[in-house]
């Protein structure tokens, strides 16, 4: 055994394959620990950053240098027009007293170091007076972002706020429209539909110091008292994580890792199934020979002649259209179909090897010693097939990954959770001249498929060489 | 004990039929070493394999204590396997090179359940190794085939057969693949087997000189047929068939590779191909007559058990 391992370790290609396979296996196994997003295709796990956010490390390139990351913080500093009216209640609340007919502004300054973000969200709690004679406005520097009125049906673009209660005020630039934001309604008509998209670039166009200002206006004849929490700010950036985001702002790293997990899992399972069927048929045909061999060979040839991928496409489509797929788990269906279409090659190779082993003198010697067929099979034929089996297992893995990825790429396979195939598919489908080539989205699954396939191929070849004593002797 | 009756083994490869064994009758009695001599391709191995029921005969049968070996079943077949063993020409091909020497030898013990426990099995294996001169036996038991020389491996193959305590052994050119220097040692093992244990051996060889010392009877094969047979001394001292004569006269030649100079003295150049009906030797026979081209000579008794197939007699 030691010799086998030594032999293996002396091969560069084997070391390479072990490193690659090991790397992806660790990714696959550790996936839940590596990312909190177990299925980034679920809407609830999307928009962790702006769509098409680039990986964090990509900011070393000049064209991505200015892009903001996800930012979120709670303001701690405030400035007011007249400090006698504004006092701190505690660390996170302030009290604002507004004399009749006057307006008090409270500004929250902050430093912004990047170009504009994807969105802007400002939220705070506000305890309002129990009258209706006040208006609260929210400004972003000079931009009139929000108007809050205590009347039940305020005139648009004002939004209503309950008097005498704690209100949760949220300004989210993603949802602004001429109906809820003066900023939007003041835009020229043609630009109004794009208000949500344009607000961040108006509000935070470039690095600098900005202010969020809450303005309290007392229209009544007695003083009013407001209590508000220090607001929180958050915005999604155009830079995210290890591998950026896809078109839905979902983590590409999470997709990649879970894709690796599924691809490895499926391909190993399918390969095991393929080897199982191939070994059974090949061994039977090769060892028993005669009519058994003839009929099994015919069966193998039949399956071999079926054009694999096209049939796969047709079968999946049929199952899909007829709704059979609703009752069956789709990954399992794909696993079964791929396995059923892929075993013939393996069966043929095993048959050939069995045939050649069967004709060897040492098998005849075993027979001469009085060994029965089963003993010969399990003690002499099967152990000598080990190399081939490992090699086949390793050669089948890339085949399965490619077939499955092909299906997913075409949108016929799995779409509900990430696989390398559907990552590539979605990435290709969403290529447009706006986002250009989302390399951080396309390359990882592409490189993953190529690397893993190559690694498995090398792994198989090394195993074949080392575990097949009769091949090594060049007979 | 073992005898063949008009045994024929034909191999068909596409259109060509190779008559590897073509109507052979031989007999091996208890405690007897029988020599089977012939040039390469004359069908010696095929005959040996057929005798041990490793090859199905095309016609004729092999009788073991009067029973047709191809019809043996169950217990009887197992017993036949245990009592009749074969040692192959090429030791490297005859063992599963993945297995340790110990396991190679213990294989037969396990199949036939000859040992009551592991200790007894170990003892049997070690005895067998000692018997064939592989000492220190512990060391050899733990080695792998590719760590051994051809001669050592052939001894392992012999030990594997001996551990079953067979009564009959086919030794298919057990030394032909080995160096001259170690041949004598291997042949000694067989000599002892006969003398001390009273085993029967069918000793296959293409080198008639080695057979003289140990075989009591000898069969000379040429292209699938026995063309001369008889007690060894008789055949060696008074060879009748021109082919046998050629074999014997070739012996003193010191060339160790043997075959190329085998027919140096009394063979003529092969001038015409065999026509399919005459004596198979006539294309090379210096005494060929007209009749030899027309029909095949039968094996006929000449004097006390000395048989020959040639029209000269
Ligand atoms: N399994 C087989 N299939 C087809 N032809 C065979 C087979 N075994 C042997 N032959 C042929 O039968 C003939 C006799 O072969 P065999 O091995 O018995 O000769 P041999 O006397 O043992 O020769 P050698 O001294 O080289 O071992 C040869 O022509 C060989 O090619
Ligand atoms: S039968 Fe004729 S050809 Fe054949 S060996 Fe005798 S003499 Fe020679
Ligand atoms: Mg031979």
């Amino acid at each position: 055994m030691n010799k086998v391992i030594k032999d293996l370790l002396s091969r560069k290609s084997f070391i390479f394959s072990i490193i690659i396979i090991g790397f992806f296996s660790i990714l696959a196994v550790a996936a839940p620990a590596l990312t909190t997003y177990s299925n980034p295709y679920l809407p609830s796990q999307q928009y962790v950053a702006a769509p098409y956010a680039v990986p964090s490390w990509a900011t070393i390139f000049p064209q991505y240098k200015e892009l903001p990351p996800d930012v979120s913080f709670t303001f701690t500093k405030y400035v007011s027009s007249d400090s006698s009216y504004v006092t701190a209640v505690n660390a996170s609340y302030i009290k604002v007293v507004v004399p009749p007919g006057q307006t008090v502004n409270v500004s929250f300054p902050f430093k912004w170091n990047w170009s504009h973000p994807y969105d802007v969200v400002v939220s705070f709690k506000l305890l309002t007076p129990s009258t209706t004679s006040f208006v609260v406005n929210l400004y972003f520097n000079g931009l009139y972002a929000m108007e809050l009125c205590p009347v039940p049906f305020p005139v648009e673009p004002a939004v209503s706020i309950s008097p005498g209660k704690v209100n949760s005020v949220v300004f989210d630039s993603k949802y602004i429209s001429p109906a809820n934001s003066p900023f939007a309604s003041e835009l020229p008509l043609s630009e109004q539909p794009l208000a949500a998209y344009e607000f961040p670039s108006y509000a935070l166009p470039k690095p600098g110091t900005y202010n969020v200002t809450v303005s309290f206006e007392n229209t009544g004849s007695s003083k009013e008292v407001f209590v508000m929490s220090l607001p929180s700010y958050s915005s999604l950036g155009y830079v995210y994580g290890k591998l950026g985001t896809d078109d839905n702002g979902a983590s590409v790293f999470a997709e990649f890792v879970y894709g690796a997990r599924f691809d490895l899992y499926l391909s190993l399972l399918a390969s095991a199934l393929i080897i199982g069927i191939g070994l059974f048929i090949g061994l039977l045909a090769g060892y028993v020979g005669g009519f058994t061999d003839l009929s099994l060979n015919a069966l193998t040839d039949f399956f071999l002649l079926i054009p694999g991928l096209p049939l796969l496409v047709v079968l999946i489509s049929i199952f899909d259209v007829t709704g059979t797929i609703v009752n069956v788990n789709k990954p399992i269906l794909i696993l079964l179909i791929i396995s059923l279409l892929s075993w013939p090659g393996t069966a043929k190779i095993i048959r050939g090897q069995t045939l050649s082993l069967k004709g060897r003198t040492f098998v005849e010697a075993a027979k001469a010693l009085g060994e029965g067929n089963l003993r010969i099979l399990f003690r002499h034929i099967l152990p000598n097939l080990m190399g081939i089996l490992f090699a086949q297992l390793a050669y089948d893995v890339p085949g399965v990954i490619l077939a499955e990825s092909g299906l997913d790429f075409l949108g016929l396979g799995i779409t509900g959770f990430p696989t390398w195939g559907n990552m590539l598919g979605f990435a290709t489908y969403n290529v447009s001249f706006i986002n250009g080539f989302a390399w951080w989205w396309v390359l990882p699954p592409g490189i993953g498929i190529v690397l893993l396939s190559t690694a498995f191929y090398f792994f198989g070849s090394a195993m074949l060489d080392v575990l097949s004593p009769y091949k090594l002797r060049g007979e | 004990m073992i005898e063949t009756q008009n045994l024929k083994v034909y191999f068909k490869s596409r259109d060509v039929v190779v008559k590897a064994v073509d109507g052979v009758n031989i007999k091996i009695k208890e405690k007897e070493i029988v020599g089977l001599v012939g040039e390469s391709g004359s069908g010696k191995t095929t005959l040996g394999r057929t005798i041990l029921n490793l090859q199905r005969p095309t016609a004729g049968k092999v009788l073991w204590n009067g029973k047709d070996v191809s019809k043996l079943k169950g217990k009887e077949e197992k017993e036949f396997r245990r009592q009749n063993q074969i040692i192959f020409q090429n030791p490297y091909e005859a063992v599963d090179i993945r297995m340790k020497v110990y396991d190679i030898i213990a294989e037969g013990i396990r199949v036939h359940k000859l040992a009551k426990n592991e200790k007894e099995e170990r003892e049997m294996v070690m005895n067998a190794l000692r018997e064939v001169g592989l000492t220190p036996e512990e060391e050899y038991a733990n080695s792998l085939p590719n760590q051994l020389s051809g001669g050592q491996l052939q001894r392992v193959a012999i030990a594997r057969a001996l551990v079953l305590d067979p009564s009959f052994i086919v030794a298919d050119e057990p030394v032909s693949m080995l160096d001259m220097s170690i041949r004598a040692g291997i042949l000694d093992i067989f000599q002892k087997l006969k003398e001390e244990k009273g085993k029967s051996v069918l000793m296959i060889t293409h080198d008639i000189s080695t057979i003289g010392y140990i075989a009591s009877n000898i069969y000379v094969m040429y292209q699938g047929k026995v063309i001369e047979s008889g007690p060894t001394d008789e055949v060696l001292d008074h060879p009748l068939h021109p082919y046998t004569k050629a074999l014997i006269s070739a012996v003193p030649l010191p060339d160790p590779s043997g075959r190329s100079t085998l027919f140096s003295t009394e063979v003529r150049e092969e001038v015409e191909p065999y026509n399919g009906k005459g004596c198979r030797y006539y294309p090379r026979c210096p005494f060929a007559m007209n009749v030899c081209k027309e029909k095949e000579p039968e094996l006929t008794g000449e004097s006390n058990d000395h048989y020959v197939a040639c029209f000269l007699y």
Side-chain angles (χ1 to χ4, degrees):
Chain A
M1 202 59 208
N2 255 338
K3 193 185 147 290
V4 170
I5 291 172
K6 228 194 249 161
D7 207 350
L8 281 173
L9 290 180
S10 69
R11 289 154 200 267
K12 280 204 189 67
S13 60
F14 179 76
I15 306 267
F16 163 81
S17 69
I18 282 298
I19 291 174
I20 302 289
I21 295 173
F23 173 73
F24 285 111
S25 305
I26 289 172
L27 274 195
V29 171
L34 290 173
T35 169
T36 46
Y37 305 108
S38 59
N39 181 0
Y41 288 179
L42 292 179
S44 61
Q45 297 184 10
Q46 294 171 347
Y47 290 100
V48 297
Y52 304 111
V54 301
S56 318
W57 50 268
T59 49
I60 55 168
F61 299 120
Q63 70 265 45
Y64 301 130
K65 212 172 151 175
E66 298 267 276
L67 295 178
D70 287 359
V71 173
S72 98
F73 61 89
T74 303
F75 291 95
T76 51
K77 274 194 296 187
Y78 59 89
V79 184
S80 61
S81 44
D82 192 331
S83 57
S84 60
Y85 299 133
V86 183
T87 47
V89 177
N90 58 28
S92 48
Y93 282 91
I94 53 174
K95 189 167 98 180
V96 182
V97 180
V98 188
Q102 285 202 30
T103 300
V104 173
N105 289 336
V106 186
S107 286
F108 302 90
F110 68 101
K111 237 175 114 57
W112 183 254
N113 299 320
W114 308 276
S115 58
H116 73 85
Y118 173 70
D119 64 353
V120 173
V121 180
V122 173
S123 59
F124 54 90
K125 293 215 160 55
L126 179 61
L127 172 64
T128 50
S130 45
T131 63
T132 56
S133 48
F134 67 88
V135 176
V136 177
N137 293 311
L138 183 70
Y139 294 92
F140 240 90
N141 273 15
L143 295 180
Y144 191 3
M146 207 175 192
E147 178 182 359
L148 299 155
C149 277
V151 288
F153 303 104
V155 185
E156 281 184 0
V159 287
S160 86
I161 189 167
S162 325
K165 276 190 184 156
V166 177
N167 292 268
S168 220
V169 178
V170 178
F171 171 77
D172 188 337
S173 71
K174 283 194 292 292
Y175 303 117
I176 59 173
S177 68
N180 63 16
S181 171
F183 163 80
S185 62
E186 283 163 14
L187 283 174
L189 209 58
S190 62
E191 284 184 35
Q192 283 183 358
L194 293 174
Y197 177 74
E198 292 195 337
F199 183 86
S201 56
Y202 278 90
L204 297 167
K206 56 181 195 289
T209 304
Y210 295 88
N211 282 303
V212 173
T213 303
V214 185
S215 149
F216 300 90
E217 188 182 344
N218 185 349
T219 54
S221 49
S222 55
K223 74 168 192 180
E224 306 279 18
V225 178
F226 300 84
V227 176
M228 78 173 284
S229 65
L230 291 172
S232 331
Y233 169 93
S234 76
S235 63
L236 297 180
Y238 287 100
V239 165
Y240 178 81
K242 296 181 187 68
L243 291 177
T245 62
D246 65 6
D247 60 329
N248 289 317
S251 165
V252 171
F253 179 72
E255 290 172 9
F256 179 68
V257 165
Y258 272 92
R261 191 179 165 93
F262 174 76
D263 276 29
L264 269 177
Y265 191 59
L266 179 101
S267 55
L268 285 177
L269 222 60
S271 299
L273 209 60
I274 291 170
I275 296 291
I277 304 173
L279 180 64
F280 182 74
I281 304 251
L283 214 52
L284 209 63
Y287 193 75
V288 178
F291 181 73
T292 314
D293 185 22
L294 223 60
S295 35
L296 286 179
N297 225 354
L299 184 78
T300 311
D301 282 335
F302 173 74
F303 272 96
L304 201 60
L305 284 176
I306 297 176
L309 198 61
L311 183 74
L312 207 54
V313 169
V314 170
L315 277 181
I316 295 276
S317 311
I318 289 175
F319 282 125
D320 237 346
V321 169
T322 56
T324 319
I325 222 157
V326 178
N327 307 322
V328 190
N329 191 319
K330 199 156 181 181
I332 291 182
L333 189 81
I334 289 178
L335 172 85
L336 288 180
I337 295 184
I338 289 184
S339 306
L340 279 179
L341 291 178
S342 312
W343 61 265
T346 303
K348 273 210 172 293
I349 288 169
I350 289 176
R351 173 184 171 270
Q353 282 294 311
T354 308
L355 218 53
S356 130
L357 282 171
K358 185 184 148 194
R360 285 181 188 272
T361 313
F362 75 83
V363 171
E364 186 162 304
K367 204 169 152 194
L369 281 176
E371 295 185 34
N373 283 331
L374 276 182
R375 193 181 170 95
I376 291 178
L377 266 180
F378 285 104
R379 256 187 94 72
H380 299 293
I381 306 261
L382 214 50
N384 279 302
L385 284 175
M386 242 34 215
I388 287 278
L389 287 182
F390 266 107
Q392 280 300 311
L393 187 74
Y395 294 156
D396 284 336
V397 166
V400 174
I401 291 182
L402 288 176
E404 198 277 330
S405 299
L407 277 183
D408 291 353
F409 179 85
L410 296 173
L412 294 165
I414 288 151
T415 47
F417 55 88
T419 69
W420 286 352
N422 64 28
M423 280 175 79
L424 277 178
F426 289 138
T428 317
Y429 181 75
N430 282 299
V431 166
S432 68
F433 77 100
I434 306 173
N435 62 54
F437 168 65
W439 51 267
W440 58 89
W441 188 13
V442 175
L443 291 184
I447 292 176
I449 289 173
V450 171
L451 270 185
L452 205 55
S453 302
T454 323
F456 268 104
Y457 180 82
F458 281 144
F459 180 79
S461 302
M463 287 309 237
L464 184 63
D465 279 358
V466 172
L467 288 181
S468 309
Y470 289 96
K471 206 181 167 223
L472 267 187
R473 289 193 345 219
E475 292 169 4
Chain B
M1 180 177 143
I2 288 254
E3 85 185 278
T4 68
Q5 290 183 345
N6 196 24
L7 196 68
K8 293 182 181 174
V9 183
Y10 296 171
F11 293 112
K12 221 182 282 173
S13 50
R14 298 208 184 83
D15 313 329
V16 191
V17 176
V18 177
K19 299 185 175 180
V21 175
D22 197 10
V24 168
N25 298 290
I26 68 171
K27 193 179 250 173
I28 300 118
K29 297 199 205 78
E30 245 148 89
K31 303 185 181 147
E32 179 181 57
I33 294 191
V34 170
L36 181 62
V37 191
E39 62 182 328
S40 186
S42 54
K44 307 181 298 291
T45 299
T46 308
L47 179 58
R49 290 177 56 237
T50 315
I51 288 176
L52 285 192
N53 195 21
L54 297 169
Q55 168 71 48
R56 188 179 292 276
T58 312
K61 47 185 147 166
V62 179
L63 298 181
W64 170 60
N65 297 334
K67 283 172 236 157
D68 188 339
V69 297
S70 64
K71 300 217 168 81
L72 296 176
K73 285 264 148 31
K75 256 208 174 112
E76 239 177 351
E77 187 187 9
K78 243 188 169 173
E79 188 54 22
F80 170 75
R81 288 286 176 224
R82 191 190 67 71
Q83 286 201 24
N84 301 276
Q85 281 299 313
I86 181 165
I87 288 146
F88 292 93
Q89 207 162 348
N90 184 347
Y92 288 103
E93 285 182 358
V95 301
D96 194 340
I97 59 172
R98 281 178 320 101
M99 294 167 74
K100 275 199 182 142
V101 166
Y102 181 93
D103 291 311
I104 291 172
I105 297 174
E107 194 75 355
I109 304 176
R110 291 169 190 163
V111 170
H112 294 283
K113 304 193 175 69
L114 299 179
K116 280 189 218 72
N117 50 41
E118 231 164 276
K119 194 165 155 257
E120 199 175 297
E121 176 187 290
R122 188 157 193 92
E123 228 157 75
M124 290 173 82
V125 172
M126 294 306 161
N127 277 340
L129 279 170
R130 234 173 292 131
E131 213 169 324
V132 295
L134 290 176
T135 46
E137 60 270 20
E138 293 283 345
E139 208 166 290
Y140 282 105
N142 282 323
S143 45
L144 284 165
N146 51 18
Q147 298 167 323
L148 301 183
S149 72
Q152 290 166 332
L153 203 51
Q154 192 60 291
R155 285 169 196 259
V156 169
I158 296 172
R160 166 171 72 177
L162 292 186
V163 83
L164 297 182
D165 192 24
S167 47
F168 171 61
I169 298 170
V170 172
D172 184 3
E173 308 199 45
V175 294
S176 73
M177 305 293 285
L178 309 179
D179 278 354
M180 272 299 177
S181 52
I182 49 178
R183 287 184 177 185
I186 302 276
L187 287 175
D188 271 352
I189 297 175
F190 288 99
Q191 187 91 33
K192 276 201 204 123
L193 279 181
K194 177 193 133 187
E195 281 165 10
E196 293 168 14
K197 302 217 163 164
K199 312 237 182 250
S200 318
V201 177
L202 177 64
M203 177 69 71
I204 298 176
T205 179
H206 59 257
D207 179 7
I208 202 165
S209 66
T210 53
I211 214 85
Y213 306 114
I214 47 178
S216 46
N217 266 305
I218 189 166
Y219 291 86
V220 184
M221 260 183 106
Y222 184 74
Q223 296 198 355
K225 285 197 178 270
V226 172
I227 47 98
E228 185 162 3
S229 73
T232 312
D233 296 342
E234 175 76 22
V235 173
L236 290 186
D237 292 346
H238 311 286
L240 296 174
H241 199 282
Y243 175 66
T244 317
K245 284 181 183 165
L247 279 180
I248 291 172
S249 70
V251 167
L253 286 178
D255 183 357
S257 67
R259 294 179 196 212
S260 57
T261 53
L262 207 51
F263 308 105
S264 57
T265 48
E266 295 181 26
V267 179
R268 63 185 173 119
E269 284 290 307
E270 206 165 319
V271 285
E272 50 186 316
Y274 176 58
N275 62 7
K277 52 182 179 175
C279 171
R280 295 189 188 213
Y281 193 53
Y282 86 81
R284 291 155 73 181
C285 180
F287 312 106
M289 305 163 288
N290 279 340
V291 61
C292 306
K293 277 192 200 182
E294 298 312 318
K295 63 185 199 181
E296 261 189 281
E298 297 277 322
L299 198 62
T300 49
E302 204 44 35
S303 58
N304 38 355
D305 292 341
H306 195 164
Y307 293 82
V308 66
C310 172
F311 290 120
L312 288 172
Y313 307 94

